[in-house]
Amino acid sequence: EYAIFSNPIFESRTVFFFRKDKMGNWDYHDLEQLKDMRVGGATGYFYIPRFEQEGVDLDLSTDTKSSFKKLYLNRVDVAIENDVVGWEIIKELYPKELYKFDSSVSPLETSSMRLMCSKKSEESQKIIDALNKGLLVIRRDGTLDRIMGKYGVN
């Protein structure tokens, strides 16, 4: 291993965004249900090989904002992105039309977000130990939940 990792800080969720007027209360269940849909994504993301292997047709843009613009214009049925990032993009592009969008309750993937420090640095273990100790304190007293909630991370 080339790095030392902290304890998990929060869970990142990759979800599907959609227009409520078109999809209602849609939720993601499996890749099979995406095969008849226009799925918007961005080049270079982790999900591309998996989707291609499963036969899901992706409409790829060079950046995520373009994918959300396609969603807004009904050129794709769903757009895939991290839940926090996706909502921030929607807030930026369509601040008066948030009510038009929703995201899947069920994620495509969840992953633990951690701090990573190089083993090449002599201070890495001290940094990770201090962070882990601090995380324990702010988790116990509710500070971490308040901070994460402020930014829409559960």
Side-chain angles (χ1 to χ4, degrees):
E1 291 251 354
Y2 59 91
I4 302 169
F5 295 88
S6 73
N7 293 336
I9 301 168
F10 69 95
E11 292 295 311
S12 173
R13 298 176 70 245
T14 302
V15 298
F16 295 90
F17 289 85
F18 57 92
R19 288 187 54 136
K20 287 193 270 189
D21 61 340
K22 184 174 183 183
M23 306 282 285
N25 291 324
W26 182 84
D27 196 20
Y28 169 73
H29 300 289
D30 57 34
L31 291 176
E32 186 69 31
Q33 80 185 103
L34 301 176
K35 290 182 179 178
D36 295 326
M37 299 174 72
R38 295 172 298 160
V39 180
T43 56
Y45 274 71
F46 74 92
Y47 50 78
I48 295 171
R50 181 175 168 195
F51 281 39
E52 288 174 345
Q53 182 180 4
E54 294 293 325
V56 175
D57 189 31
L58 286 168
D59 182 330
L60 295 175
S61 300
T62 56
D63 61 82
T64 305
K65 284 185 184 178
S66 296
S67 184
F68 278 81
K69 290 175 183 175
K70 289 178 184 178
L71 179 63
Y72 180 78
L73 296 170
N74 285 312
R75 291 172 49 199
V76 296
D77 299 312
V78 295
I80 185 170
E81 183 53 81
N82 168 276
D83 58 350
V84 175
V85 173
W87 281 113
E88 287 302 315
I89 290 171
I90 292 169
K91 288 176 193 174
E92 178 185 329
L93 296 175
Y94 311 108
K96 295 181 180 177
E97 300 177 274
L98 299 178
Y99 66 92
K100 291 184 178 182
F101 298 92
D102 206 349
S103 61
S104 59
V105 173
S106 303
L108 170 68
E109 179 178 288
T110 59
S111 56
S112 295
M113 303 307 289
R114 303 165 182 261
L115 178 69
M116 177 177 77
C117 290
S118 171
K119 285 187 174 180
K120 291 180 181 178
S121 171
E122 294 177 15
E123 299 297 312
S124 290
Q125 192 61 56
K126 288 180 187 176
I127 292 168
I128 294 297
D129 290 344
L131 177 69
N132 286 340
K133 184 177 178 181
L135 280 172
L136 187 60
V137 170
I138 66 173
R139 243 191 203 104
R140 284 184 181 157
D141 72 10
T143 301
L144 183 61
D145 286 339
R146 285 192 302 277
I147 292 170
M148 300 308 260
K150 179 178 176 182
Y151 296 99
V153 179
N154 298 326

